[in-house]
Amino acid sequence: DQQVKQNSPSLSVQEGRISILNCDYTNSMFDYFLWYKKYPAEGPTFLISISSIKDKNEDGRFTVFLNKSAKHLSLHIVPSQPGDSAVYFCAASATSYGGATNKLIFGTGTLLAVQP
Amino acid sequence: DAGVTQSPTHLIKTRGQQVTLRCSPKSGHDTVSWYQQALGQGPQFIFQYYEEEERQRGNFPDRFSGHQFPNYSSELNVNALLLGDSALYLCASSFYALGQGGNEQYFGPGTRLTVT
């Protein structure tokens, strides 16, 4: 039961162009979404997040879009740089109003290769 | 500002043995979550500790247990190791914020466990 899906195992993009990474989810209780980047031999690094009350969040070159009706989110990287080459994970959580930090459900990741 | 640290970096154990992994959270964080990442998969939630108690648990057997200390650091113990327990074990820390659903978790570099 894969609640968070990243259907593209890999993506190759030219330096300077836009990278678009996609993520779909099935659980309508999810209300917070995050993107992490992971280099080999390192832990995941938090990139950007979005609450379900928004449909867009920007941070520098990174923008996350959320389409709740389609249960779909995407991460846009503009412009792409060779240093962006890594595995990108989408993660989702459902708020527990007790305030607890909630468990993250991860997708299987997309390997982004940015070609110089 | 020290980030999340984990020890050891690598570990090789024999089937049937027991293992203890350690984690120190990011400064200012009080909640520790543990994840297992198998090769080619996204991290899977094992359990979470706050105020020295297990608050949430994923779909892992009782062979997986943990502990949190008064200084917020945490241990993950796995008993009766199986070959399938070979994976990268990730610790993530966060701040328990009452009434908020925000959920950024910051990951350590992980411990690579190999069971032979």
Side-chain angles (χ1 to χ4, degrees):
Chain A
D1 177 22
Q2 190 71 22
Q3 298 185 68
V4 178
K5 301 177 184 178
Q6 294 177 257
N7 292 318
S8 297
S10 63
L11 175 68
S12 183
V13 171
Q14 286 295 119
E15 181 178 4
R17 307 293 284 268
I18 184 172
S19 295
I20 300 176
L21 298 105
N22 294 303
C23 178
D24 297 293
Y25 62 96
T26 58
N27 189 338
S28 58
M29 297 300 293
F30 288 150
D31 59 2
Y32 204 78
F33 304 90
L34 307 90
W35 284 94
Y36 284 86
K37 176 170 73 173
K38 188 178 185 303
Y39 294 116
E42 294 184 13
T45 301
F46 169 73
L47 270 178
I48 191 169
S49 61
I50 187 167
S51 164
S52 60
I53 63 173
K54 296 184 176 182
D55 55 19
K56 177 182 174 181
N57 189 26
E58 283 183 81
D59 185 1
R61 297 187 296 116
F62 302 92
T63 303
V64 56
F65 295 92
L66 176 62
N67 182 334
K68 290 188 292 293
S69 61
K71 293 190 175 66
H72 177 83
L73 65 155
S74 60
L75 174 68
H76 292 209
I77 306 174
V78 183
S80 301
Q81 299 173 355
D84 295 329
S85 298
V87 176
Y88 287 77
F89 289 100
C90 166
S93 69
T95 297
S96 154
Y97 287 97
T101 305
N102 295 295
K103 64 181 181 183
L104 297 178
I105 308 298
F106 282 84
T108 52
T110 296
L111 175 62
L112 173 65
V114 180
Q115 309 296 335
Chain B
D1 179 20
V4 181
T5 59
Q6 292 186 243
S7 63
T9 306
H10 295 88
L11 206 50
I12 300 175
K13 289 287 189 178
T14 303
R15 191 171 46 184
Q17 286 189 315
Q18 179 264 344
V19 69
T20 297
L21 311 180
R22 295 176 176 83
C23 171
S24 290
K26 181 178 168 65
S27 178
H29 285 180
D30 55 10
T31 302
V32 173
S33 302
W34 286 93
Y35 293 80
Q36 180 195 66
Q37 185 179 15
L39 204 59
Q41 301 296 316
Q44 288 204 335
F45 177 77
I46 303 174
F47 44 53
Q48 179 188 93
Y49 277 83
Y50 170 70
E51 288 188 327
E52 303 178 47
E53 289 187 11
E54 183 181 294
R55 298 290 176 159
Q56 300 182 70
R57 190 176 182 92
N59 189 25
F60 280 80
D62 292 344
R63 299 186 296 108
F64 289 77
S65 63
H67 188 78
Q68 186 180 35
F69 299 93
N71 66 353
Y72 309 121
S73 66
S74 176
E75 288 181 349
L76 163 66
N77 301 293
V78 187
N79 294 322
L81 284 166
L82 304 174
L83 296 179
D85 295 332
S86 295
L88 180 67
Y89 288 84
L90 295 161
C91 168
S93 75
S94 53
F95 179 67
Y96 185 107
L98 188 64
Q100 296 184 24
N103 201 28
E104 285 81 11
Q105 297 183 24
Y106 294 84
F107 285 83
T111 294
R112 172 71 62 187
L113 172 65
T114 302
V115 183
T116 62

